[in-house]
Amino acid sequence: MGSVQIVTTILAAGITAVAVWLAVRAVMKMTAVIRLGQPAPERFADKGARTKTMLVETAGHTRMLKWGVVGAAHWFVMVGFIVLSLLVLEAYFEVVTPTGGLPIIGHWTIFGLATEIITVLGLVGILVLMAIRLRNRPNRLGGRSRFTGSTMWQGYFVEWIVLLVLIFGLLIRGFKVATDHFEYPFWATPVSHAVGAVLPDWSDGASIAALIKIAISMTWLIVISLNVTMGVAWHRFLAFPNIFFKREPTKPAGSGLGALRPMTSQGKPLDFEEADPEKDQFGVAHVEQFTWKGLLDFSTCTECGRCQSQCPAWNTGKPLSPKLLVLSLRDHAYAKAPYLLAGGGKDLTGEEKATQAQLAHLDVLSLAEADKPLIGTAEEGGVIDPDVLWSCTTCGACVEQCPVDIEHVDHIVDMRRYQVLIESSFPSEAGVMLRNLENKGNPWGAPQNTREDWTKGLDFEVPRVGEVDDFEYLFWVGCAGAFEDRAKKTTRAVATLLNEAGVKFAILGEGETCSGDPARRIGNEFVFQMLAQQNVETLNEAFEGREKAKRKIVATCPHCFNTLGNEYGQLGGEFEVVHHTQLLAHLVSTGKLTPVQPVDGGVTYHDPCYLGRHNRIFAAPREVLGDAIEGEITEMPRNSERSFCCGAGGARMWMEEKIGKRINVDRVEEAMATGAKTVAVGCPFCSTMLNDGVNGKGAGEQVEVIDVASVLLRSVKPEQPRGDKESAPVAG
């Protein structure tokens, strides 16, 4: 060992020792903060499925590769980070001697070939990612970049570290080539040999380059250890457990889609018949009341802004960005952590749990953070502004886009639950809807004895459950389908088509009440459970004696479809629920319905969030439309899983849209740009919102918004009257 190697060895050991010590301290701090969260025992079930999903999503990059070039570049960088960590380890042998290498595998030609390929592709990948970040700088795009609000220096820092580590890895190899100490042949490592051809024969070059490579790597570790909220770096480690512990590991898309997470206290579902607000947690009022998985979510956020770029609220000038919401909760959690770890915190009655002695050593910043309300205006010092909380449509675009499976919608609804149930704080106009649900069993407050009025004038009898036992499908009409004039046309169209196809179906009529979707998504879990339990009891009685496979329900509203199929199981209601477009597609494909006259003028299709993104039903409505028009539909740029919301979900149907551009107008403009004369929908909420948008643009005579079922009915029975353009505005 020469004098240069003595110095490089000592320096490498010194900086590594500091970095490792700081990293251990950082990991302990992060673990302590995450453990502050509430229990979530269900996250430990299905370990086999969780492991498989985690490996598929990480190694296969299944979420990232949806973005083409970006996904591929990120995959090469990720693989480079994992595999080339072996070359960082090898650098510790090279600082000791310039001819050093990894024991055993370090001399294998296949190892040299693999690392050469990964190094080159990693270099290409990181340069692509750097170019994309620079091209999408917020100041270049007027603040509407997906990186708006991200801590940009951290992204640049991480990217430059990766680039420099890869470059110095090649320099080490190049110096070995130049001094004739390289163990791999030219055919396996041509780039390394090319670098070596231009480097001098410097015997200490490899050791010096190895020291610099170690210094760069350890500087990265030191910086991220001193910045535990640096998600752009820490996600490299946290993504694995965050994906492993996702809510539903077998779901093909984001695990926070479909059903909402049940309301829990101390890790157990809340039973409202026995719940006590002084003993049980009602939603989330303080950051430590999120589950530990929620705190892991916040820590894992990469600040990539994919959620932000797809969010309908953000894209129409609302203050909500799912990314910024998560970052605010993350920063608040870590700033409040010293207070919480010292024993501080409020009990469910609002009393301080810590003694003065426990809090005496804390700095003023931690104590100030502890006093911040979780939900509050800027003047109140709130972490999350109320306008942010109530702008969410629960469309799920953020969850679907997130590459590390953060469950934004669950966290937003948990905060809403506390605001509604304990603080009674929510947009005032939604109060009418909630009172109508409690008193009338529907959001519009319509009399229950008018639920069957849609059947009047039909040329066939609509059977009721109880009057007939021999039915294959229970037709869940829904509140909109029973009371709202536009939606009643869809209900009549579906019933007519089912009758035409010879499908045996029956309705509950006055026995049906609201599924509870708007109550649950605004945060009123009490009203949801009241309605849901009533419906579950009614449905179980209607299907008495039938196995689950024969307890079939068809629904025209995706919100009802989602609630009945995905959430009623939480309350003992197990049913096979299909959307009407699925059933109609089946009836057409089996020849029970035959389109005879193509619908002309061009058709585009708007994917309802709760049918498409939340439940992955994309093909069925398109198949129905394709048969009805005998051709291809004209797709909007944002379609399928990336479809843009109509603005009605998350109970926003009953709240005023006072900030920014109206979401439905933005979507209508996109639909009209296709040139299609018909905008087909599969949801009564979407129908209302897009009709209002079309009328607002003064295009009611040029563009028609109707349900997929009505399009099919016109093709199957061309003699049907065309009355679907009649407009009946909905309150709210």
Side-chain angles (χ1 to χ4, degrees):
M1 180 186 292
S3 58
V4 170
Q5 282 68 43
I6 293 173
V7 173
T8 56
T9 301
I10 292 172
L11 291 175
I15 192 171
T16 300
V18 172
V20 170
W21 177 74
L22 289 173
V24 170
R25 191 181 69 165
V27 169
M28 291 176 65
K29 179 177 180 179
M30 295 178 76
T31 303
V33 171
I34 292 167
R35 286 169 62 88
L36 288 168
Q38 299 304 302
E42 72 280 2
R43 304 285 181 167
F44 294 92
D46 274 336
K47 290 186 176 65
R50 293 181 181 280
T51 302
K52 178 182 177 182
T53 299
M54 184 266 290
L55 292 174
V56 168
E57 283 196 25
T58 52
H61 245 43
T62 51
R63 305 294 292 276
M64 288 292 295
L65 287 175
K66 292 184 296 185
W67 304 308
V69 172
V70 176
H74 191 277
W75 186 84
F76 289 127
V77 172
M78 180 201 72
V79 171
F81 176 80
I82 295 171
V83 175
L84 299 183
S85 295
L86 291 172
L87 297 187
V88 175
L89 177 61
E90 186 175 51
Y92 286 93
F93 293 91
E94 291 160 340
V95 295
V96 176
T97 172
T99 62
L102 280 176
I104 307 175
I105 65 171
H107 298 283
W108 294 355
T109 300
I110 188 65
F111 178 73
L113 173 64
T115 50
E116 183 89 348
I117 293 172
I118 292 170
T119 297
V120 173
L121 293 177
L123 276 168
V124 173
I126 196 62
L127 289 171
V128 168
L129 295 180
M130 292 173 79
I132 290 171
R133 187 178 293 273
L134 289 170
R135 189 183 66 199
N136 289 281
R137 292 196 309 274
N139 58 354
R140 287 192 62 185
L141 300 175
R144 304 311 295 177
S145 161
R146 65 184 174 92
F147 292 120
T148 298
S150 298
T151 313
M152 295 301 287
W153 76 262
Q154 294 180 353
Y156 295 139
F157 172 77
V158 169
E159 288 168 347
W160 273 100
I161 288 290
V162 172
L163 179 63
L164 291 173
V165 166
L166 291 170
I167 289 172
F168 274 90
L170 282 175
L171 287 175
I172 294 170
R173 289 184 160 193
F175 278 119
K176 286 186 173 183
V177 170
T179 56
D180 201 25
H181 291 130
F182 199 45
E183 49 270 83
Y184 309 122
F186 177 85
W187 68 266
T189 54
V191 177
S192 297
H193 278 82
V195 172
V198 299
L199 291 178
D201 182 0
W202 182 23
S203 60
D204 296 325
S207 294
I208 297 294
L211 174 63
I212 296 173
K213 181 177 180 178
I214 290 171
I216 293 169
S217 301
M218 292 304 107
T219 297
W220 174 79
L221 189 56
I222 289 169
V223 170
I224 73 167
S225 297
L226 295 174
N227 293 272
V228 290
T229 58
M230 194 171 174
V232 70
W234 281 107
H235 85 274
R236 297 180 179 206
F237 309 107
L238 298 179
F240 297 97
N242 207 56
I243 294 170
F244 180 87
F245 288 116
K246 65 157 72 177
R247 176 148 61 88
E248 296 180 64
T250 58
K251 291 195 73 167
S255 75
L257 296 173
L260 277 175
R261 180 176 172 272
M263 194 167 169
T264 61
S265 179
Q266 292 300 313
K268 299 177 181 178
L270 199 64
D271 183 347
F272 278 95
E273 293 184 0
E274 300 178 1
D276 181 351
E278 294 188 1
K279 297 178 181 178
D280 295 300
Q281 180 180 315
F282 280 59
V284 169
H286 306 285
V287 72
E288 65 272 20
Q289 291 180 341
F290 288 105
T291 67
W292 61 262
K293 175 56 170 64
L295 296 176
L296 178 59
D297 271 357
F298 308 152
S299 303
T300 308
C301 179
T302 72
E303 303 190 24
C304 68
R306 292 286 171 188
C307 57
Q308 181 172 284
S309 68
Q310 296 295 309
C311 176
W314 177 261
N315 276 282
T316 54
K318 315 293 190 292
L320 168 64
S321 156
K323 177 187 72 178
L324 298 181
L325 179 140
V326 165
L327 298 187
S328 295
L329 293 171
R330 178 198 69 188
D331 294 344
H332 174 58
Y334 280 88
K336 188 178 180 181
Y339 161 79
L340 296 171
L341 293 171
K346 301 291 194 298
D347 63 22
L348 294 172
T349 64
E351 295 296 318
E352 175 60 57
K353 293 188 288 187
T355 65
Q356 287 188 345
Q358 286 176 298
L359 304 179
H361 69 285
L362 294 179
D363 63 67
V364 67
L365 294 177
S366 295
L367 293 172
E369 197 71 31
D371 287 335
K372 286 185 177 181
L374 188 65
I375 306 298
T377 62
E379 293 76 16
E380 296 166 335
V383 179
I384 304 297
D385 191 279
D387 284 335
V388 170
L389 185 68
W390 297 109
S391 291
C392 180
T393 67
T394 68
C395 71
C398 50
V399 178
E400 192 274 334
Q401 286 285 294
C402 183
V404 292
D405 281 306
I406 293 171
E407 296 160 7
H408 313 72
V409 174
D410 282 344
H411 305 320
I412 288 171
V413 173
D414 269 340
M415 289 186 284
R416 285 183 172 187
R417 284 165 169 167
Y418 180 83
Q419 293 300 305
V420 172
L421 293 172
I422 302 300
E423 297 291 338
S424 295
S425 176
F426 51 87
S428 57
E429 60 269 22
V432 176
M433 177 268 291
L434 289 173
R435 286 193 295 274
N436 285 337
L437 287 178
E438 287 191 74
N439 299 327
K440 299 289 188 178
N442 69 84
W444 289 282
Q448 186 71 356
N449 61 8
T450 62
R451 269 197 181 267
E452 299 178 35
D453 283 1
W454 64 269
T455 64
K456 295 176 180 178
L458 292 174
D459 56 7
F460 58 91
E461 188 72 23
V462 177
R464 280 79 175 163
V465 172
E467 296 176 3
V468 293
D469 295 322
D470 184 22
F471 62 90
E472 183 180 3
Y473 287 95
L474 188 151
F475 181 13
W476 183 272
V477 177
C479 299
F483 301 121
E484 200 270 321
D485 286 347
R486 274 184 295 254
K488 282 197 282 188
K489 293 180 175 65
T490 300
T491 307
R492 292 165 63 89
V494 171
T496 301
L497 288 166
L498 295 181
N499 181 69
E500 182 78 8
V503 175
K504 294 182 179 180
F505 70 96
I507 62 172
L508 289 172
E510 293 183 28
E512 184 183 303
T513 191
C514 180
S515 68
D517 164 85
R520 185 168 228 198
R521 275 149 185 82
I522 202 174
N524 198 325
E525 186 75 4
F526 176 79
V527 170
F528 164 73
Q529 290 202 19
M530 177 185 74
L531 295 168
Q533 286 170 351
Q534 179 180 335
N535 282 325
V536 167
E537 184 177 334
T538 300
L539 290 168
N540 283 339
E541 184 178 336
F543 288 121
E544 188 173 5
R546 297 194 191 189
E547 59 189 55
K548 181 181 177 181
K550 294 183 179 179
R551 295 157 67 93
K552 296 180 181 179
I553 299 174
V554 58
T556 57
C557 175
H559 298 265
C560 296
F561 164 77
N562 179 70
T563 303
L564 271 63
N566 294 329
E567 297 184 334
Y568 275 16
Q570 299 169 2
L571 300 169
E574 297 290 340
F575 313 108
E576 289 291 330
V577 187
V578 299
H579 189 250
H580 71 285
T581 58
Q582 292 176 292
L583 181 53
L584 294 179
H586 171 72
L587 294 175
V588 172
S589 67
T590 55
K592 294 182 179 179
L593 288 175
T594 305
V596 294
Q597 180 173 307
V599 176
D600 56 14
V603 175
T604 190
Y605 174 64
H606 163 78
D607 288 274
C609 299
Y610 273 82
L611 183 65
R613 191 157 36 239
H614 278 279
N615 286 284
R616 320 309 291 173
I617 297 172
F618 305 118
R622 287 174 169 80
E623 290 169 3
V624 173
L625 292 172
D627 289 324
I629 66 176
E630 291 188 358
E632 295 292 325
I633 66 173
T634 305
E635 293 284 9
M636 287 182 260
R638 294 177 290 192
N639 64 77
S640 302
E641 67 270 10
R642 296 188 189 179
S643 178
F644 197 68
C645 183
C646 75
R652 288 293 319 172
M653 181 87 165
W654 292 275
M655 301 182 219
E656 294 294 335
E657 196 169 347
K658 302 173 183 176
I659 304 173
K661 184 179 182 180
R662 293 184 67 87
I663 294 172
N664 61 332
V665 171
D666 193 270
R667 186 56 166 170
V668 161
E669 289 174 351
E670 186 174 5
M672 291 173 62
T674 66
K677 300 304 181 186
T678 300
V679 180
V681 298
C683 171
F685 289 4
C686 295
S687 176
T688 295
M689 299 300 283
L690 298 189
N691 261 300
D692 289 351
V694 166
N695 292 333
K697 299 290 290 185
E701 294 302 317
Q702 294 80 43
V703 178
E704 184 179 20
V705 180
I706 58 171
D707 192 87
V708 171
S710 295
V711 176
L712 179 63
L713 182 60
R714 289 179 183 177
S715 180
V716 171
K717 302 183 73 173
E719 73 279 4
Q720 287 291 309
R722 297 170 63 91
D724 298 291
K725 290 176 70 173
E726 294 177 13
S727 176
V730 176

